[in-house]
Amino acid sequence: MKKKQRLILQIMLAVLMIGILVSFSVGQYPVPPDAVVGILAKKAGLPIESFWTGAMETAVWNIRLPRVILSIMVGMSLAAAGGAYQGVFQNPMASPDILGASAGAGFGAALAILLGASSAGIMTGAFGFGMVTVGLVFLVSHRAKGDRILGLVLSGIMISTLFQSGTSFLKLVADPGNQLPQITYWLMGSLSGARWADVGFAVVPMILGWIPLLLLRWQLNVITVGDDEAKTLGIHPQRLRLLIVVFSTLITASAVAVSGIIGWVGLVIPHITRRLVGNDYRYLMPASMMGGGIFLLLVDNLSRSLTASGIPIGILTAFIGAPFFLWMITGKGARDEH
Amino acid sequence: MSIEVKNLSFSYGKKQILHDISFRAEKGEFLSVLGPNGAGKSTLFRCILGLLPDYSGEVLINGHDIKNFSAREASRQIAYIPQNSTPTFHYSVLDIVLMGRTNRAGTFGNPGKEDEQASLAALEKIGIGALKNRSFHKLSGGEQQLVLIARALAQDAPVLLLDEPTASLDYGNQILVLEQAKKLSAEGYTVIQTTHHPEQSYLYSDRILALQNGRIIADGKPCEVLTTELMKELYHAQVGVVSLFDDAARVCIPAEFIDQKGNRQ
């Protein structure tokens, strides 16, 4: 069992590495693989004579590399948060936006665009509103009576709806000439404008969120037996849920801030990964993160190569992912667990 | 390891569920808690397990108030064996038993080699080592119950609380599970079960506690508690208790049936 799971993790890592190398050559401006390796090696400080053009160097270093890194980071974050939420909410249908992180971030971004903010301002608005929304949901749910998890999820759905309506209102009053298309495009989710500044914005909060999610992965197994039973096994279900929500929101809000709303990944990548390595979070959490990274990297490559302007990745994730997932649960990909 | 419940009372809002419950179970004792539906058996368990902390009175383990224990410390003293366990996702039997070792790993840690060995040993002890790689949710109810007992053993707590362990099992599995519980109490575990089977508690346990409307109406040796008078009072049913094999076993039978045969009232 364990050997198999370790092997799958290693294969996923290899696929990710190959995916990264291939990604540099994909796009409207082809760069030969040896030039890619040369440019990266030179940037890493190795003494190598340039045998490539300055345009190639710009394409690889300033455009493709940040985009590759960002797509992997966003994919890892959404899948990790989704997997963790499915555990602490004891619900396979949970996804990272269940507590309103995406709806809040979308509202924050739309508001920032309406106020004419810079791209840094839009990112900050999205991140801030994403965090605040989930905080609000948590506070409201504490006053909810009855089942704690249900109270939290219902509060999340209601407050998400409020922010979505708010976003619709902002679109209504936005200038249809430039602001409205910008808001609409942002909400669709895209990595086409990815730059080093985006990577710099997201990298710290994401790493701060990934580490605890990885460290708490055994407790995530235990909480799926239900709060009461989990408590008799020696954990604090409510405290664990709070920690997971805080760190998942941190990475989800960062992901949405730099990429817009990319749905689907957080819900389905953990499920595809469950079929590969099983439900034990000791393997599932790292595998989900790699799976999310691989998936978003591949989809972004596709989005880049299909059209010159690039189809927003938020549209493509579902177009490619949903049929694949249906194939997995029904066709040849389906197999009984254990 | 003894467990003592002292003057425990509990209310849900204005409705008082448990009234001044006091009893004590010694190391190696097998105690059955009998009582009709709604008598407060589950509430009593939930208080002892720290799941309903707002009770008055005390629960003491070897003289230490359980309220002063963290969840981790409490889980090393008392292991809970629920009627059934339904994790949201499917896990292997070994993983389920490993969850009993959570109280050994740190908050941020994973169970290690030692924990895995302890879990395998617990499975072997219950005689289900062969199930270790099976999927827990695909096992029969009896096998699942045994896995949950193995998980409690892996937890390494001296007190075992079984919540109606035989409730949904076929007859053979009921015997299997009770034999295991009996064996564990003989080894020194303090075993407390709630049950709806007076006859089984007579056969297997050392003491019976009869709970009605949140009050203890009898606490004593099975031969003192399992009487026609008490069963009638406890269940509000016309039931007769028949002694068999020199009182090695007692059987409860609806009284009108006994009347018809004219054997005994």
Side-chain angles (χ1 to χ4, degrees):
Chain A
M1 282 296 277
K2 281 191 170 168
K3 268 193 186 146
K4 180 194 134 195
Q5 282 136 341
R6 264 197 210 110
L7 182 68
I8 291 174
L9 282 174
Q10 284 158 357
I11 292 173
M12 291 179 93
L13 189 62
V15 171
L16 185 61
M17 292 302 155
I18 295 168
I20 291 173
L21 285 181
V22 171
S23 299
F24 286 105
S25 327
V26 174
Q28 301 298 320
Y29 185 83
V31 180
D34 54 343
V36 171
V37 175
I39 292 164
L40 293 181
K42 190 186 168 202
K43 288 286 183 182
L46 296 179
I48 294 176
E49 289 261 337
S50 300
F51 55 87
W52 53 83
T53 64
M56 282 183 188
E57 190 164 319
T58 308
V60 167
W61 187 255
N62 292 336
I63 298 172
R64 291 207 184 138
L65 185 59
R67 189 162 170 173
V68 163
I69 292 176
L70 203 67
S71 62
I72 293 172
M73 283 176 19
V74 168
M76 281 171 72
S77 296
L78 294 175
Y85 270 17
Q86 287 162 13
V88 291
F89 291 113
Q90 295 151 18
N91 185 341
M93 295 306 294
S95 70
D97 30 29
I98 198 168
L99 295 187
S102 301
F107 178 83
L111 189 64
I113 292 170
L114 201 68
L115 297 175
S118 62
S119 67
I122 297 170
M123 278 195 281
T124 313
F127 179 78
F129 267 90
M131 295 294 288
V132 166
T133 306
V134 177
L136 199 63
V137 167
F138 224 89
L139 286 179
V140 170
S141 76
H142 258 273
R143 308 189 67 107
K145 298 183 174 59
D147 185 89
R148 278 191 296 269
I149 295 177
L150 191 63
L152 195 54
V153 172
L154 289 178
S155 310
I157 292 172
M158 291 308 133
I159 289 177
S160 289
T161 313
L162 282 179
F163 276 97
Q164 277 156 1
S165 304
T167 307
S168 296
F169 178 75
L170 293 182
K171 284 163 93 173
L172 189 70
V173 298
D175 175 355
N178 52 39
Q179 290 173 335
L180 183 57
Q182 202 189 343
I183 294 175
T184 309
Y185 190 74
W186 193 94
L187 290 175
M188 274 188 243
S190 172
L191 291 164
S192 60
R195 295 292 179 273
W196 281 115
D198 302 294
V199 175
F201 181 89
V203 69
V204 173
M206 280 187 181
I207 289 176
L208 282 179
W210 292 340
I211 292 171
L213 291 191
L214 282 168
L215 287 176
L216 289 165
R217 60 199 201 277
W218 178 255
Q219 301 231 331
L220 280 170
N221 281 338
V222 178
I223 202 173
T224 67
V225 301
D227 278 17
D228 285 353
E229 207 177 315
K231 195 175 178 202
T232 70
L233 291 169
I235 73 166
H236 289 276
Q238 281 172 278
R239 195 196 294 167
L240 177 65
R241 196 171 296 119
L242 176 64
L243 286 175
I244 294 292
V245 167
V246 168
F247 293 116
S248 297
T249 303
L250 193 64
I251 58 179
T252 307
S254 328
V256 178
V258 294
S259 69
I261 295 174
I262 298 177
W264 201 86
V265 176
L267 172 65
V268 178
I269 292 296
H271 281 290
I272 292 175
T273 321
R274 283 177 200 282
R275 293 195 167 248
L276 292 174
V277 298
N279 293 311
D280 184 345
Y281 277 95
R282 284 179 293 172
Y283 307 101
L284 179 62
M285 187 53 82
S288 280
M289 291 172 76
M290 277 196 280
I294 292 169
F295 179 75
L296 220 54
L297 181 66
L298 295 184
V299 174
D300 187 48
N301 281 337
L302 205 64
S303 126
R304 208 141 34 102
S305 41
L306 284 180
T307 58
S309 58
I311 300 174
I313 194 165
I315 296 176
L316 270 185
T317 48
F319 262 139
I320 296 163
F324 177 68
F325 185 67
L326 288 175
W327 171 77
M328 273 202 86
I329 61 171
T330 56
K332 286 213 175 99
R335 70 192 154 83
D336 213 3
E337 285 159 83
H338 305 293
Chain B
M1 191 73 72
S2 70
I3 176 166
E4 186 174 10
V5 173
K6 260 183 167 170
N7 309 109
L8 190 148
S9 296
F10 179 82
S11 305
Y12 275 118
K14 280 185 181 156
K15 190 167 184 239
Q16 190 164 0
I17 309 291
L18 296 173
H19 302 263
D20 200 26
I21 303 281
S22 296
F23 67 90
R24 195 183 154 87
E26 298 298 335
K27 179 175 168 18
E29 198 168 19
F30 188 159
L31 179 70
S32 289
V33 182
L34 271 182
N37 292 327
K41 300 187 298 293
S42 300
T43 309
L44 175 61
F45 264 23
R46 291 170 61 77
C47 288
I48 295 174
L49 287 164
L51 300 175
L52 294 172
D54 297 326
Y55 58 84
S56 65
E58 288 175 311
V59 178
L60 305 169
I61 299 274
N62 266 4
H64 299 287
D65 193 335
I66 196 92
K67 271 192 175 163
N68 298 328
F69 290 151
S70 67
R72 176 189 305 272
E73 287 163 344
S75 74
R76 292 188 183 196
Q77 303 298 331
I78 305 179
Y80 172 56
I81 297 155
Q83 230 178 84
N84 50 47
S85 181
T86 49
T88 315
F89 301 103
H90 301 162
Y91 288 98
S92 75
V93 165
L94 183 58
D95 286 341
I96 294 282
V97 178
L98 259 179
M99 290 184 192
R101 302 294 293 180
T102 305
N103 59 14
R104 311 279 139 166
T107 304
F108 294 118
N110 290 328
K113 268 263 170 296
E114 204 180 304
D115 299 305
E116 202 168 310
Q117 267 153 15
S119 303
L120 288 170
L123 282 167
E124 288 298 339
K125 187 167 178 180
I126 302 295
I128 50 170
L131 297 180
K132 66 178 181 198
N133 290 327
R134 295 272 301 280
S135 183
F136 177 74
H137 80 289
K138 287 200 172 163
L139 301 181
S140 72
E143 288 169 330
Q144 288 191 348
Q145 191 72 54
L146 291 176
V147 172
L148 295 176
I149 293 177
R151 184 180 75 183
L153 296 186
Q155 217 171 313
D156 212 9
V159 179
L160 307 179
L161 256 57
L162 293 92
D163 184 19
E164 295 181 26
T166 60
S168 54
L169 304 186
D170 68 52
Y171 196 65
N173 277 320
Q174 291 182 16
I175 295 172
L176 197 65
V177 166
L178 287 169
E179 294 277 351
Q180 279 297 343
K182 181 81 189 162
K183 210 171 93 188
L184 292 171
S185 82
E187 280 175 29
Y189 286 94
T190 307
V191 178
I192 307 180
Q193 69 154 349
T194 57
T195 177
H196 287 301
H197 297 282
E199 300 157 2
Q200 289 177 350
S201 37
Y202 185 88
L203 278 175
Y204 289 97
S205 52
D206 302 310
R207 235 174 78 216
I208 297 178
L209 207 71
L211 203 62
Q212 189 184 51
N213 293 329
R215 291 188 171 82
I216 294 180
I217 61 166
D219 174 6
K221 290 199 181 109
C223 60
E224 297 161 6
V225 177
L226 197 65
T227 60
T228 301
E229 293 70 36
L230 243 152
M231 290 302 108
K232 275 183 177 167
E233 187 191 341
L234 187 62
Y235 292 110
H236 291 297
Q238 290 304 312
V239 49
V241 175
V242 179
S243 167
L244 296 172
F245 310 118
D246 288 332
D247 212 23
R250 285 189 191 177
V251 185
C252 296
I253 298 174
E256 67 184 293
F257 185 76
I258 302 182
D259 287 347
Q260 280 167 17
K261 296 287 176 193
N263 286 337
R264 177 183 174 135
Q265 177 63 41

